[in-house]
Structures are given as C-alpha cells and as structure tokens.
Amino acid sequence: DAPVVAALCDDIARDDFETVLRDRLAASDSGRGGLAEVDEILRHTAGRIGDASIRFDPILARGLDYYTGAIYEFVADGAGGSIAGGGRYDDLAGMFLKESVPVCGGSLGIERILLLLDEKADAAPSPRAYVTVWDKDAVDHALALADGLRKDGIAAEVDLTGGKIGRQFKTADERGCRFTLVMGPDEEAAGTVMIKDLETGNQEAVPTAKAASHIHKCLGH
C-alpha cells in the first residue's frame, strides 16, 4: 500500500540506507543468517580480487521465487550493465531430483563480454594450480595462497566442495591443473605448503612465500 511504498522510498533515499537495512534484518533469525553469509563472503574476498572491488548492494534482487541465499552480479566499465550474475538456490534442484542438492550457480552475458574483449584474449593461458582446502577453518588460508599465486602470474583455482584431499587431487587432475597445493596443520605450523607436480609426480614442501617462484622454476621460467 501507499504508506509502505513511501516508507521504502524514504529508506532508499537515505545516505545510511545500508545501516538501516542491516538493523532491520538483524531483528530476525533469518535476517541475521543472511547478513552473516554476506559478511563471510566479503571477509574472504577482501583484498583478493586484484584491481576489482566488491561491495554489498542492499537493493540487488534476482529471482525472488527460487534463490535461497546470497546473490551476486559482476559489472565492468563500458559494459552497460552486469556481465554475469547468479547466487545460491539450494531447493531448485529438488524440483527435478529425488533429493535437494546444495547449489550455487550463475550465468554469463556472453554478448557483453565479447564486446569487452580485446587482443589480449589471444594470449596463451597461464599454467593452473589447484589449491586444496584442508577443512573449513583453512578456507581463508587457501584463498590467501591462491591470491598470492595469481599476483605472481599463475592462474590458481581453490577447491569449493571440500572433502578428502585425495578427492581434491582427483578433481585437480580432471580439471587439467598441473600443480596441487596442500596446506594442512603441519604445513601451516611450519609456514610451508606442499606442492605436487601432477605431471612428474614430484612433491616438495616449500615456504609459503616462495610457492609461486617454486612453480615458475618447475615450469622452467
């Protein structure tokens, strides 16, 4: 009704709209849960996306009938809108399967991305490294390790599904990654990371700060 719309418009027009929204969401269990998810994403990605930036958009909306968690959109200068978007929709798969499956997915705006590509798109891809995740508490360390590799010119991927390290090694091989990196409790305590070359089978514990240089050396750079 009109009063509700007027109140919403007043809220959106405020300079501290995000603070107002957070206060209102924090008043309910579901609201607090949603804010916790958003803040965890922001914490894990802060300072780890190169020259890009990430922020919480309190009025971003996508598929209100099927998204069940955090949603996201990617934007780029000159694109005229988002170039990709998606989010969490845990219950959607249950419509087609016998059980509900946790899912996070997205879609690309191919036409907009193609318009943004330049001659650099023809460059050969960098060798890929697969950073395993020992357990939930090690996620932040894995993201930091991958970030350091990327800054040194090595395309790195972080395991997102969890599970046994052996399974993660198998995933790395299936995805065509040349190196796997493991940072378990022993490696973390020693300030090292175990790097395995899936092509030669050799593995070595190296100081975490020298992970990228070790990979470059293995590649003959």
Side-chain angles (χ1 to χ4, degrees):
D1 54 32
V4 173
V5 173
L8 177 60
C9 290
D10 289 341
D11 282 346
I12 295 175
R14 293 179 55 162
D15 293 335
D16 61 344
F17 173 55
E18 181 178 334
T19 301
V20 172
L21 179 63
R22 280 180 170 274
D23 289 342
R24 292 184 179 175
L25 289 174
S28 69
D29 290 339
S30 60
R32 285 191 295 273
L35 288 175
E37 289 183 17
V38 168
D39 289 339
E40 183 177 10
I41 293 171
L42 293 175
R43 179 173 60 83
H44 282 317
T45 55
R48 293 173 178 161
I49 50 178
D51 296 330
S53 61
I54 182 170
R55 67 180 180 86
F56 169 45
D57 185 346
I59 59 175
L60 181 64
R62 295 178 61 87
L64 298 177
D65 56 338
Y66 61 88
Y67 280 110
T68 59
I71 59 173
Y72 57 85
E73 288 190 357
F74 290 89
V75 297
D77 292 338
S82 64
I83 60 173
R88 189 99 187 181
Y89 41 90
D90 290 348
D91 298 331
L92 191 61
M95 297 172 58
F96 310 98
L97 303 174
K98 293 182 179 180
E99 58 183 15
S100 180
V101 178
V103 176
C104 181
S107 59
L108 304 175
I110 299 299
E111 294 85 357
R112 290 178 179 175
I113 292 175
L114 289 175
L115 291 173
L116 293 173
L117 293 177
D118 55 21
E119 296 177 356
K120 294 182 180 179
D122 295 327
S126 301
R128 295 201 299 174
Y130 195 87
V131 181
T132 63
V133 179
W134 191 265
D135 55 28
K136 185 177 181 180
D137 293 334
V139 170
D140 206 50
H141 294 296
L143 291 172
L145 180 57
D147 182 55
L149 294 175
R150 292 165 185 154
K151 288 178 178 177
D152 265 304
I154 298 172
E157 193 171 333
V158 180
D159 184 84
L160 299 176
T161 57
K164 296 182 178 179
I165 294 298
R167 186 208 56 76
Q168 296 184 45
F169 269 56
K170 182 178 180 181
T171 300
D173 184 55
E174 292 172 347
R175 295 187 64 78
C177 296
R178 169 78 181 269
F179 303 92
T180 55
L181 292 85
V182 179
M183 186 185 292
D186 293 340
E187 287 81 13
E188 184 181 347
T192 63
V193 57
M194 184 66 68
I195 302 178
K196 182 172 183 177
D197 187 333
L198 297 181
E199 184 175 295
T200 65
N202 295 330
Q203 66 179 29
E204 184 177 345
V206 302
T208 304
K210 296 183 178 181
S213 60
H214 175 80
I215 291 176
H216 280 303
K217 181 179 178 180
C218 291
L219 294 168
H221 294 170

